[in-house]
Amino acid sequence: NAGVMQNPRHLVRRRGQEARLRCSPMKGHSHVYWYRQLPEEGLKFMVYLQKENIIDESGMPKERFSAEFPKEGPSILRIQQVVRGDSAAYFCASSHDLYGYTFGSGTRLTVV
Amino acid sequence: AQKITQTQPGMFVQEKEAVTLDCTYDTSDQSYGLFWYKQPSSGEMIFLIYQGSYDEQNATEGRYSLNFQKARKSANLVISASQLGDSAMYFCAMGGFGNEKLTFGTGTRLTIIP
């Protein structure tokens, strides 16, 4: 039973480019969460999705960031026109309830 | 709103000694869960232990135990017989049932000294 799969593991983008981060949840999990970890900080919640629905996006920046979890395929976190401050580790987690929370290995985004 | 406070930015502990990492929380939820995660230098988040707010007994997982004191709103992690491989960042987190987003503390960097 594969865990939560995130790719790419590392991503380098120039300022102004788009970054696409992918997350495939664990089999049987219908809830996906995205978190951001800035250097030397804890994880901060960004968005909570279920299939084809955004449930809670209270942690998402108002501009440039979007997330989706389509009926088929992985969840995507999209950052448009990246800036240096977007450099961080982005973690995806999936669950079917609070007990079954599982994190992926994260995507380290570096904006140069 | 939920809040997690970890007041120890860093700790140094002699190998084989026990260590307690502090965590206090604040929430208005009646039902919630408390978690501890380990983040080694490689960066992944490793689940260590979980405590439900209505669990009467403190959770234990091998060398890890959670000292849950509900009235004091504390959920300290105890690691017995520390090992060099325990050196890492440790994060306390909590979540509520129904919308299970987690709120994390700022972490404690634990260094085990040989």
Side-chain angles (χ1 to χ4, degrees):
Chain A
N1 185 14
V4 178
M5 304 300 292
Q6 286 190 252
N7 66 82
R9 190 71 191 269
H10 299 274
L11 182 62
V12 179
R13 284 288 177 265
R14 296 186 184 278
R15 280 177 295 170
Q17 290 185 319
E18 178 180 288
R20 280 181 176 246
L21 289 62
R22 294 175 184 78
C23 169
S24 296
M26 281 188 70
K27 188 175 181 180
H29 285 187
S30 57
H31 303 197
V32 167
Y33 306 81
W34 286 94
Y35 290 80
R36 177 165 65 176
Q37 185 181 29
L38 295 171
E40 303 302 316
E41 293 188 10
L43 277 68
K44 294 280 180 13
F45 167 77
M46 299 181 75
V47 62
Y48 162 32
L49 309 105
Q50 294 181 15
K51 285 286 186 182
E52 299 185 279
N53 285 304
I54 297 174
I55 307 302
D56 182 346
E57 56 181 349
S58 57
M60 287 280 268
K62 293 289 184 274
E63 298 178 348
R64 302 188 296 109
F65 285 73
S66 63
E68 62 176 10
F69 188 17
K71 189 176 180 181
E72 302 289 338
S75 175
I76 306 287
L77 179 67
R78 182 182 178 204
I79 311 172
Q80 295 178 289
Q81 299 174 333
V82 295
V83 301
R84 288 238 170 95
D86 297 332
S87 294
Y90 291 83
F91 287 92
C92 169
S94 74
S95 76
H96 57 83
D97 60 28
L98 194 57
Y99 298 96
Y101 223 93
T102 305
F103 278 92
S105 297
T107 293
R108 274 99 189 135
L109 172 65
T110 303
V111 179
V112 297
Chain B
Q2 298 173 336
K3 185 177 180 182
I4 294 283
T5 302
Q6 294 181 255
T7 57
Q8 305 154 309
M11 290 186 69
F12 291 84
V13 173
Q14 205 75 39
E15 188 180 7
K16 297 181 185 175
E17 289 185 351
V19 56
T20 298
L21 304 181
D22 295 341
C23 173
T24 57
Y25 63 91
D26 193 19
T27 183
S28 56
D29 291 337
Q30 295 300 309
S31 296
Y32 50 88
L34 294 153
F35 301 78
W36 278 92
Y37 286 89
K38 173 184 178 181
Q39 187 176 43
S41 56
S42 52
E44 70 266 33
M45 295 293 288
I46 301 170
F47 167 76
L48 296 179
I49 197 166
Y50 167 83
Q51 178 85 43
S53 58
Y54 284 103
D55 293 340
E56 294 187 353
Q57 290 195 329
N58 286 345
T60 60
E61 291 285 349
R63 293 187 300 115
Y64 304 107
S65 60
L66 199 152
N67 184 2
F68 180 46
Q69 297 188 42
K70 194 170 181 177
R72 299 179 63 182
K73 294 189 175 180
S74 74
N76 298 341
L77 176 71
V78 179
I79 306 174
S80 62
S82 57
Q83 303 170 356
L84 295 177
D86 293 334
S87 293
M89 282 291 287
Y90 288 80
F91 291 98
C92 180
M94 74 177 302
F97 292 92
N99 179 353
E100 295 90 356
K101 64 183 181 184
L102 296 184
T103 299
F104 283 79
T106 51
T108 296
R109 184 173 298 280
L110 176 64
T111 303
I112 306 300
I113 305 166

Short mmCIF file of all heavy atoms in Angstrom, two decimals, chain A residues 33-85:
data_model
loop_
_atom_site.label_atom_id
_atom_site.label_comp_id
_atom_site.label_asym_id
_atom_site.label_seq_id
_atom_site.Cartn_x
_atom_site.Cartn_y
_atom_site.Cartn_z
N TYR A 33 -4.80 17.49 2.06
CA TYR A 33 -4.43 18.75 2.70
C TYR A 33 -3.07 19.19 2.16
O TYR A 33 -2.18 18.35 2.00
CB TYR A 33 -4.30 18.58 4.23
CG TYR A 33 -5.52 17.98 4.87
CD1 TYR A 33 -5.75 16.61 4.86
CD2 TYR A 33 -6.45 18.80 5.51
CE1 TYR A 33 -6.87 16.07 5.45
CE2 TYR A 33 -7.58 18.25 6.11
CZ TYR A 33 -7.77 16.89 6.07
OH TYR A 33 -8.88 16.35 6.66
N TRP A 34 -2.91 20.48 1.96
CA TRP A 34 -1.61 21.04 1.59
C TRP A 34 -1.12 21.96 2.71
O TRP A 34 -1.89 22.76 3.26
CB TRP A 34 -1.70 21.84 0.30
CG TRP A 34 -1.83 21.00 -0.94
CD1 TRP A 34 -2.97 20.61 -1.57
CD2 TRP A 34 -0.75 20.45 -1.71
NE1 TRP A 34 -2.68 19.87 -2.67
CE2 TRP A 34 -1.32 19.75 -2.80
CE3 TRP A 34 0.64 20.49 -1.61
CZ2 TRP A 34 -0.56 19.09 -3.75
CZ3 TRP A 34 1.41 19.84 -2.56
CH2 TRP A 34 0.81 19.15 -3.62
N TYR A 35 0.17 21.83 3.01
CA TYR A 35 0.82 22.64 4.03
C TYR A 35 2.10 23.24 3.45
O TYR A 35 2.74 22.64 2.59
CB TYR A 35 1.20 21.79 5.25
CG TYR A 35 0.04 21.31 6.07
CD1 TYR A 35 -0.72 20.21 5.67
CD2 TYR A 35 -0.32 21.95 7.25
CE1 TYR A 35 -1.80 19.77 6.43
CE2 TYR A 35 -1.39 21.53 8.01
CZ TYR A 35 -2.12 20.44 7.60
OH TYR A 35 -3.19 20.01 8.35
N ARG A 36 2.48 24.38 3.99
CA ARG A 36 3.74 25.01 3.58
C ARG A 36 4.63 25.15 4.82
O ARG A 36 4.15 25.53 5.90
CB ARG A 36 3.48 26.39 2.97
CG ARG A 36 4.74 27.13 2.59
CD ARG A 36 4.48 28.29 1.67
NE ARG A 36 3.68 29.35 2.26
CZ ARG A 36 3.40 30.50 1.65
NH1 ARG A 36 3.86 30.72 0.43
NH2 ARG A 36 2.67 31.41 2.24
N GLN A 37 5.90 24.87 4.63
CA GLN A 37 6.88 25.03 5.70
C GLN A 37 7.99 25.95 5.23
O GLN A 37 8.80 25.57 4.37
CB GLN A 37 7.46 23.68 6.14
CG GLN A 37 8.40 23.82 7.34
CD GLN A 37 9.00 22.48 7.77
OE1 GLN A 37 9.18 21.57 6.95
NE2 GLN A 37 9.30 22.34 9.05
N LEU A 38 8.02 27.14 5.77
CA LEU A 38 9.12 28.06 5.51
C LEU A 38 10.34 27.61 6.31
O LEU A 38 10.18 26.90 7.33
CB LEU A 38 8.72 29.48 5.87
CG LEU A 38 7.58 30.07 5.01
CD1 LEU A 38 7.11 31.39 5.57
CD2 LEU A 38 8.03 30.23 3.57
N PRO A 39 11.54 27.99 5.90
CA PRO A 39 12.75 27.56 6.62
C PRO A 39 12.68 27.88 8.11
O PRO A 39 12.28 28.97 8.50
CB PRO A 39 13.86 28.36 5.93
CG PRO A 39 13.35 28.60 4.55
CD PRO A 39 11.87 28.79 4.70
N GLU A 40 13.03 26.89 8.92
CA GLU A 40 13.09 27.02 10.38
C GLU A 40 11.72 27.32 11.01
O GLU A 40 11.65 27.88 12.11
CB GLU A 40 14.10 28.11 10.78
CG GLU A 40 15.51 27.88 10.26
CD GLU A 40 16.10 26.55 10.72
OE1 GLU A 40 15.94 26.21 11.91
OE2 GLU A 40 16.72 25.85 9.89
N GLU A 41 10.65 26.94 10.35
CA GLU A 41 9.32 27.14 10.92
C GLU A 41 8.54 25.84 10.91
O GLU A 41 8.94 24.85 10.28
CB GLU A 41 8.56 28.22 10.13
CG GLU A 41 9.15 29.61 10.25
CD GLU A 41 8.25 30.66 9.63
OE1 GLU A 41 7.11 30.33 9.27
OE2 GLU A 41 8.71 31.80 9.49
N GLY A 42 7.39 25.84 11.60
CA GLY A 42 6.49 24.70 11.54
C GLY A 42 5.65 24.75 10.28
O GLY A 42 5.70 25.69 9.50
N LEU A 43 4.86 23.69 10.09
CA LEU A 43 3.99 23.63 8.92
C LEU A 43 2.77 24.52 9.12
O LEU A 43 2.20 24.58 10.21
CB LEU A 43 3.53 22.18 8.68
CG LEU A 43 4.49 21.28 7.91
CD1 LEU A 43 5.73 20.98 8.71
CD2 LEU A 43 3.78 19.98 7.53
N LYS A 44 2.38 25.17 8.03
CA LYS A 44 1.20 26.03 8.06
C LYS A 44 0.18 25.51 7.06
O LYS A 44 0.51 25.30 5.89
CB LYS A 44 1.57 27.49 7.70
CG LYS A 44 2.48 28.15 8.73
CD LYS A 44 1.72 28.63 9.91
CE LYS A 44 2.50 29.30 11.01
NZ LYS A 44 3.81 29.72 10.83
N PHE A 45 -1.06 25.33 7.52
CA PHE A 45 -2.13 24.84 6.68
C PHE A 45 -2.41 25.81 5.55
O PHE A 45 -2.43 27.04 5.73
CB PHE A 45 -3.39 24.67 7.53
CG PHE A 45 -4.64 24.45 6.74
CD1 PHE A 45 -4.91 23.21 6.18
CD2 PHE A 45 -5.54 25.48 6.53
CE1 PHE A 45 -6.06 23.00 5.45
CE2 PHE A 45 -6.70 25.28 5.80
CZ PHE A 45 -6.95 24.04 5.26
N MET A 46 -2.63 25.23 4.36
CA MET A 46 -3.00 26.07 3.21
C MET A 46 -4.43 25.78 2.76
O MET A 46 -5.27 26.66 2.71
CB MET A 46 -2.04 25.82 2.04
CG MET A 46 -0.59 26.16 2.34
SD MET A 46 0.46 25.86 0.92
CE MET A 46 0.04 27.26 -0.11
N VAL A 47 -4.70 24.50 2.42
CA VAL A 47 -5.99 24.18 1.81
C VAL A 47 -6.34 22.73 2.09
O VAL A 47 -5.46 21.88 2.20
CB VAL A 47 -5.95 24.47 0.29
CG1 VAL A 47 -4.92 23.61 -0.40
CG2 VAL A 47 -7.31 24.33 -0.35
N TYR A 48 -7.66 22.49 2.18
CA TYR A 48 -8.22 21.15 2.41
C TYR A 48 -9.20 20.87 1.27
O TYR A 48 -10.11 21.66 1.02
CB TYR A 48 -8.87 21.12 3.78
CG TYR A 48 -9.85 19.99 4.07
CD1 TYR A 48 -9.71 18.72 3.51
CD2 TYR A 48 -10.91 20.21 4.93
CE1 TYR A 48 -10.60 17.71 3.81
CE2 TYR A 48 -11.82 19.20 5.23
CZ TYR A 48 -11.67 17.96 4.66
OH TYR A 48 -12.55 16.96 4.97
N LEU A 49 -8.98 19.73 0.59
CA LEU A 49 -9.82 19.38 -0.56
C LEU A 49 -10.36 17.97 -0.41
O LEU A 49 -9.70 17.10 0.18
CB LEU A 49 -9.01 19.44 -1.86
CG LEU A 49 -8.20 20.69 -2.17
CD1 LEU A 49 -6.72 20.45 -1.94
CD2 LEU A 49 -8.43 21.13 -3.58
N GLN A 50 -11.55 17.78 -0.96
CA GLN A 50 -12.05 16.45 -1.25
C GLN A 50 -12.25 16.39 -2.77
O GLN A 50 -12.12 17.40 -3.45
CB GLN A 50 -13.35 16.19 -0.49
CG GLN A 50 -13.16 16.15 1.02
CD GLN A 50 -14.43 15.87 1.78
OE1 GLN A 50 -15.42 15.42 1.23
NE2 GLN A 50 -14.41 16.14 3.09
N LYS A 51 -12.54 15.24 -3.27
CA LYS A 51 -12.66 15.08 -4.73
C LYS A 51 -13.56 16.17 -5.32
O LYS A 51 -14.73 16.30 -4.94
CB LYS A 51 -13.23 13.72 -5.07
CG LYS A 51 -12.24 12.57 -4.91
CD LYS A 51 -11.22 12.54 -6.02
CE LYS A 51 -10.33 11.30 -5.93
NZ LYS A 51 -9.30 11.29 -6.98
N GLU A 52 -13.00 16.96 -6.21
CA GLU A 52 -13.68 18.00 -6.97
C GLU A 52 -14.21 19.14 -6.11
O GLU A 52 -14.97 19.97 -6.60
CB GLU A 52 -14.82 17.39 -7.80
CG GLU A 52 -14.36 16.35 -8.80
CD GLU A 52 -15.49 15.84 -9.69
OE1 GLU A 52 -16.24 14.96 -9.23
OE2 GLU A 52 -15.61 16.34 -10.81
N ASN A 53 -13.83 19.19 -4.85
CA ASN A 53 -14.33 20.26 -3.97
C ASN A 53 -13.21 20.83 -3.10
O ASN A 53 -12.40 20.08 -2.56
CB ASN A 53 -15.43 19.73 -3.05
CG ASN A 53 -16.74 19.55 -3.77
OD1 ASN A 53 -17.27 20.47 -4.37
ND2 ASN A 53 -17.26 18.33 -3.72
N ILE A 54 -13.22 22.15 -2.96
CA ILE A 54 -12.37 22.81 -1.98
C ILE A 54 -13.20 23.00 -0.73
O ILE A 54 -14.23 23.68 -0.75
CB ILE A 54 -11.85 24.16 -2.51
CG1 ILE A 54 -10.96 23.94 -3.73
CG2 ILE A 54 -11.08 24.89 -1.40
CD1 ILE A 54 -10.51 25.24 -4.40
N ILE A 55 -12.76 22.41 0.38
CA ILE A 55 -13.53 22.46 1.61
C ILE A 55 -13.12 23.66 2.46
O ILE A 55 -13.96 24.33 3.05
CB ILE A 55 -13.35 21.17 2.43
CG1 ILE A 55 -13.66 19.93 1.57
CG2 ILE A 55 -14.20 21.20 3.68
CD1 ILE A 55 -15.05 19.91 0.99
N ASP A 56 -11.83 23.91 2.53
CA ASP A 56 -11.32 25.00 3.37
C ASP A 56 -10.04 25.53 2.73
O ASP A 56 -9.08 24.80 2.62
CB ASP A 56 -11.05 24.47 4.78
CG ASP A 56 -10.55 25.53 5.77
OD1 ASP A 56 -10.17 26.64 5.33
OD2 ASP A 56 -10.54 25.25 6.98
N GLU A 57 -10.07 26.76 2.29
CA GLU A 57 -8.87 27.38 1.70
C GLU A 57 -8.44 28.59 2.51
O GLU A 57 -7.85 29.53 1.97
CB GLU A 57 -9.10 27.74 0.24
CG GLU A 57 -10.29 28.64 -0.02
CD GLU A 57 -10.48 28.95 -1.50
OE1 GLU A 57 -9.59 28.64 -2.30
OE2 GLU A 57 -11.55 29.49 -1.83
N SER A 58 -8.72 28.56 3.79
CA SER A 58 -8.46 29.72 4.64
C SER A 58 -6.97 30.05 4.77
O SER A 58 -6.62 31.16 5.12
CB SER A 58 -9.05 29.50 6.03
OG SER A 58 -8.53 28.32 6.62
N GLY A 59 -6.10 29.09 4.47
CA GLY A 59 -4.67 29.34 4.58
C GLY A 59 -3.99 29.67 3.26
O GLY A 59 -2.78 29.88 3.22
N MET A 60 -4.73 29.75 2.20
CA MET A 60 -4.16 30.02 0.88
C MET A 60 -3.96 31.52 0.69
O MET A 60 -4.87 32.31 0.97
CB MET A 60 -5.08 29.51 -0.22
CG MET A 60 -5.09 28.02 -0.36
SD MET A 60 -3.67 27.42 -1.27
CE MET A 60 -4.39 27.43 -2.92
N PRO A 61 -2.80 31.91 0.19
CA PRO A 61 -2.65 33.33 -0.21
C PRO A 61 -3.73 33.68 -1.23
O PRO A 61 -4.15 32.84 -2.04
CB PRO A 61 -1.25 33.35 -0.83
CG PRO A 61 -0.53 32.21 -0.20
CD PRO A 61 -1.56 31.15 -0.01
N LYS A 62 -4.14 34.93 -1.20
CA LYS A 62 -5.29 35.35 -2.02
C LYS A 62 -4.96 35.36 -3.50
O LYS A 62 -5.84 35.18 -4.35
CB LYS A 62 -5.75 36.75 -1.58
CG LYS A 62 -6.34 36.78 -0.19
CD LYS A 62 -7.70 36.11 -0.14
CE LYS A 62 -8.35 36.22 1.22
NZ LYS A 62 -7.94 35.17 2.13
N GLU A 63 -3.73 35.56 -3.84
CA GLU A 63 -3.34 35.66 -5.26
C GLU A 63 -2.28 34.63 -5.58
O GLU A 63 -1.51 34.21 -4.74
CB GLU A 63 -2.83 37.08 -5.56
CG GLU A 63 -3.87 38.16 -5.35
CD GLU A 63 -3.32 39.56 -5.61
OE1 GLU A 63 -2.09 39.71 -5.73
OE2 GLU A 63 -4.13 40.50 -5.69
N ARG A 64 -2.26 34.22 -6.82
CA ARG A 64 -1.23 33.37 -7.45
C ARG A 64 -1.31 31.91 -7.05
O ARG A 64 -0.71 31.08 -7.74
CB ARG A 64 0.19 33.90 -7.16
CG ARG A 64 0.44 35.34 -7.62
CD ARG A 64 1.91 35.71 -7.49
NE ARG A 64 2.34 35.68 -6.09
CZ ARG A 64 3.15 34.76 -5.58
NH1 ARG A 64 3.61 33.77 -6.33
NH2 ARG A 64 3.51 34.83 -4.30
N PHE A 65 -1.97 31.56 -5.97
CA PHE A 65 -2.03 30.18 -5.51
C PHE A 65 -3.41 29.58 -5.80
O PHE A 65 -4.44 30.23 -5.57
CB PHE A 65 -1.78 30.10 -3.99
CG PHE A 65 -0.35 30.28 -3.59
CD1 PHE A 65 0.25 31.53 -3.66
CD2 PHE A 65 0.40 29.20 -3.13
CE1 PHE A 65 1.59 31.70 -3.29
CE2 PHE A 65 1.73 29.37 -2.75
CZ PHE A 65 2.32 30.62 -2.83
N SER A 66 -3.42 28.35 -6.28
CA SER A 66 -4.67 27.63 -6.47
C SER A 66 -4.43 26.16 -6.26
O SER A 66 -3.29 25.67 -6.36
CB SER A 66 -5.25 27.89 -7.87
OG SER A 66 -4.36 27.41 -8.86
N ALA A 67 -5.50 25.43 -5.96
CA ALA A 67 -5.39 23.99 -5.73
C ALA A 67 -6.61 23.31 -6.29
O ALA A 67 -7.71 23.89 -6.33
CB ALA A 67 -5.25 23.69 -4.24
N GLU A 68 -6.40 22.07 -6.73
CA GLU A 68 -7.51 21.27 -7.22
C GLU A 68 -7.29 19.82 -6.87
O GLU A 68 -6.15 19.37 -6.67
CB GLU A 68 -7.66 21.44 -8.74
CG GLU A 68 -6.48 20.97 -9.54
CD GLU A 68 -6.73 21.08 -11.04
OE1 GLU A 68 -7.74 21.68 -11.45
OE2 GLU A 68 -5.91 20.55 -11.81
N PHE A 69 -8.38 19.07 -6.83
CA PHE A 69 -8.33 17.63 -6.60
C PHE A 69 -9.40 17.05 -7.52
O PHE A 69 -10.55 16.89 -7.13
CB PHE A 69 -8.61 17.33 -5.14
CG PHE A 69 -8.40 15.89 -4.74
CD1 PHE A 69 -7.67 15.00 -5.54
CD2 PHE A 69 -8.91 15.42 -3.55
CE1 PHE A 69 -7.47 13.68 -5.16
CE2 PHE A 69 -8.72 14.10 -3.15
CZ PHE A 69 -8.00 13.23 -3.96
N PRO A 70 -9.01 16.76 -8.77
CA PRO A 70 -10.01 16.33 -9.75
C PRO A 70 -10.53 14.93 -9.47
O PRO A 70 -9.96 14.18 -8.66
CB PRO A 70 -9.24 16.38 -11.08
CG PRO A 70 -7.81 16.22 -10.69
CD PRO A 70 -7.67 16.86 -9.33
N LYS A 71 -11.60 14.58 -10.16
CA LYS A 71 -12.19 13.26 -10.00
C LYS A 71 -11.18 12.17 -10.30
O LYS A 71 -11.15 11.13 -9.63
CB LYS A 71 -13.41 13.14 -10.91
CG LYS A 71 -14.25 11.90 -10.69
CD LYS A 71 -15.48 11.92 -11.58
CE LYS A 71 -16.33 10.68 -11.36
NZ LYS A 71 -17.53 10.68 -12.24
N GLU A 72 -10.39 12.38 -11.33
CA GLU A 72 -9.35 11.43 -11.68
C GLU A 72 -7.99 12.13 -11.58
O GLU A 72 -7.85 13.27 -12.02
CB GLU A 72 -9.55 10.91 -13.11
CG GLU A 72 -10.90 10.24 -13.34
CD GLU A 72 -11.00 8.90 -12.63
OE1 GLU A 72 -9.93 8.32 -12.32
OE2 GLU A 72 -12.13 8.43 -12.38
N GLY A 73 -7.02 11.46 -11.03
CA GLY A 73 -5.67 12.00 -10.99
C GLY A 73 -5.33 12.64 -9.67
O GLY A 73 -6.15 12.70 -8.74
N PRO A 74 -4.09 13.14 -9.59
CA PRO A 74 -3.60 13.66 -8.33
C PRO A 74 -4.15 15.04 -8.01
O PRO A 74 -4.71 15.72 -8.86
CB PRO A 74 -2.08 13.74 -8.56
CG PRO A 74 -1.95 14.01 -10.02
CD PRO A 74 -3.08 13.21 -10.66
N SER A 75 -3.95 15.46 -6.78
CA SER A 75 -4.22 16.84 -6.39
C SER A 75 -3.05 17.70 -6.88
O SER A 75 -1.89 17.26 -6.87
CB SER A 75 -4.35 16.95 -4.89
OG SER A 75 -4.50 18.30 -4.50
N ILE A 76 -3.35 18.90 -7.33
CA ILE A 76 -2.35 19.81 -7.85
C ILE A 76 -2.38 21.11 -7.03
O ILE A 76 -3.45 21.69 -6.84
CB ILE A 76 -2.60 20.17 -9.33
CG1 ILE A 76 -2.72 18.92 -10.19
CG2 ILE A 76 -1.51 21.12 -9.85
CD1 ILE A 76 -1.42 18.20 -10.42
N LEU A 77 -1.20 21.54 -6.59
CA LEU A 77 -1.05 22.88 -6.03
C LEU A 77 -0.30 23.70 -7.07
O LEU A 77 0.80 23.31 -7.48
CB LEU A 77 -0.28 22.85 -4.71
CG LEU A 77 -0.04 24.21 -4.04
CD1 LEU A 77 -1.36 24.82 -3.57
CD2 LEU A 77 0.93 24.08 -2.87
N ARG A 78 -0.89 24.79 -7.48
CA ARG A 78 -0.33 25.60 -8.57
C ARG A 78 0.03 26.97 -8.04
O ARG A 78 -0.78 27.62 -7.37
CB ARG A 78 -1.37 25.71 -9.68
CG ARG A 78 -0.93 26.47 -10.90
CD ARG A 78 -2.10 26.52 -11.87
NE ARG A 78 -1.78 27.27 -13.07
CZ ARG A 78 -2.69 27.85 -13.83
NH1 ARG A 78 -3.97 27.77 -13.50
NH2 ARG A 78 -2.34 28.51 -14.90
N ILE A 79 1.26 27.38 -8.31
CA ILE A 79 1.70 28.72 -7.92
C ILE A 79 2.12 29.45 -9.19
O ILE A 79 3.05 29.05 -9.88
CB ILE A 79 2.90 28.66 -6.94
CG1 ILE A 79 2.63 27.67 -5.80
CG2 ILE A 79 3.17 30.05 -6.38
CD1 ILE A 79 3.84 27.42 -4.90
N GLN A 80 1.40 30.50 -9.49
CA GLN A 80 1.71 31.28 -10.69
C GLN A 80 2.68 32.42 -10.34
O GLN A 80 2.68 32.94 -9.23
CB GLN A 80 0.42 31.87 -11.27
CG GLN A 80 -0.55 30.82 -11.78
CD GLN A 80 -1.83 31.43 -12.30
OE1 GLN A 80 -2.64 31.93 -11.52
NE2 GLN A 80 -2.02 31.40 -13.60
N GLN A 81 3.50 32.77 -11.31
CA GLN A 81 4.41 33.92 -11.19
C GLN A 81 5.17 33.88 -9.87
O GLN A 81 5.06 34.80 -9.05
CB GLN A 81 3.62 35.23 -11.34
CG GLN A 81 2.93 35.35 -12.68
CD GLN A 81 2.03 36.59 -12.77
OE1 GLN A 81 1.53 37.07 -11.75
NE2 GLN A 81 1.84 37.08 -13.97
N VAL A 82 5.90 32.82 -9.67
CA VAL A 82 6.55 32.61 -8.38
C VAL A 82 7.51 33.75 -8.06
O VAL A 82 8.11 34.36 -8.94
CB VAL A 82 7.31 31.26 -8.34
CG1 VAL A 82 6.33 30.10 -8.46
CG2 VAL A 82 8.38 31.18 -9.41
N VAL A 83 7.64 34.00 -6.74
CA VAL A 83 8.58 34.99 -6.21
C VAL A 83 9.48 34.28 -5.20
O VAL A 83 9.19 33.14 -4.79
CB VAL A 83 7.84 36.16 -5.53
CG1 VAL A 83 6.91 36.85 -6.52
CG2 VAL A 83 7.05 35.69 -4.33
N ARG A 84 10.59 34.95 -4.82
CA ARG A 84 11.56 34.32 -3.93
C ARG A 84 10.91 33.88 -2.62
O ARG A 84 11.26 32.85 -2.05
CB ARG A 84 12.71 35.30 -3.63
CG ARG A 84 13.63 35.51 -4.83
CD ARG A 84 15.07 35.14 -4.49
NE ARG A 84 15.88 35.12 -5.70
CZ ARG A 84 16.60 36.15 -6.11
NH1 ARG A 84 16.58 37.30 -5.43
NH2 ARG A 84 17.32 36.06 -7.19
N GLY A 85 9.92 34.63 -2.14
CA GLY A 85 9.26 34.27 -0.88
C GLY A 85 8.44 33.01 -0.94
O GLY A 85 8.00 32.51 0.11
#
